[in-house]
Amino acid sequence: MNTTTSIVDVLTHGALAILAYAILGVLLLVAGFYVIDLATPGRLSKIIRTDRNPNATVLAASSVAGVGLVVAASIWSSGGALREGLLATLVFGLVGIAVQTLGMVAFDKVAGISVRELVRETTLQPAAVLLGVTHFFIGLITAVAVI
């Protein structure tokens, strides 16, 4: 009876932990998307869905992927401590979003690549690919720093 109870407890705790991390992860992904939305003229979801803008799509997708890497690394490094892991995931996720935003601003200033101008272009631009890869690797670097 004790063994069954402990297995049920473990499974219940594990399922609740998965749910908590999933909810937090999705919220961080949405937050990352909306930060990119603030950097673009117009509504990013409309630019992607209705206007079918490939540059906006590359930038949004790479930013979300970068945040996802940070979230996954935070969960991985939590070591099973749920409260501490959720807090670390929240903090590191927000740091990842901030670092990506700073990276976007830096590219705008240093390389002269304006996200606002880039998403006005209707065809895929090399600068969008460069920024997309940069967003992804900023996320990866932040994720590895978490681990």
Side-chain angles (χ1 to χ4, degrees):
M1 181 84 167
N2 254 350
T3 305
T4 305
T5 303
S6 67
I7 290 173
V8 170
D9 288 344
V10 168
L11 292 175
T12 301
H13 177 67
L16 291 174
I18 290 169
L19 181 63
Y21 278 117
I23 289 169
L24 180 57
V26 169
L27 290 173
L28 287 167
L29 294 176
V30 169
F33 178 84
Y34 280 108
V35 167
I36 295 299
D37 188 23
L38 292 174
T40 59
R43 298 285 308 170
L44 187 55
S45 57
K46 179 195 175 295
I47 294 169
I48 293 170
R49 189 179 51 239
T50 306
D51 300 345
R52 303 177 60 81
N53 184 296
N55 301 306
T57 304
V58 166
L59 294 175
S62 61
S63 292
V64 170
V67 172
L69 288 169
V70 174
V71 170
S74 296
I75 294 167
W76 178 266
S77 68
S78 69
L82 183 58
R83 271 184 243 176
E84 293 85 359
L86 287 170
L87 180 60
T89 299
L90 174 63
V91 171
F92 294 143
L94 293 174
V95 168
I97 291 168
V99 170
Q100 286 190 348
T101 303
L102 291 173
M104 208 170 28
V105 170
F107 262 81
D108 192 0
K109 301 295 180 199
V110 174
I113 299 173
S114 170
V115 172
R116 291 188 170 279
E117 291 175 19
L118 192 57
V119 298
R120 288 188 180 113
E121 297 287 335
T122 58
T123 58
L124 183 61
Q125 300 296 308
V129 175
L130 175 63
L131 281 179
V133 169
T134 301
H135 280 295
F136 179 81
F137 279 103
I138 287 172
L140 182 60
I141 290 165
T142 307
V144 170
V146 167
I147 298 173

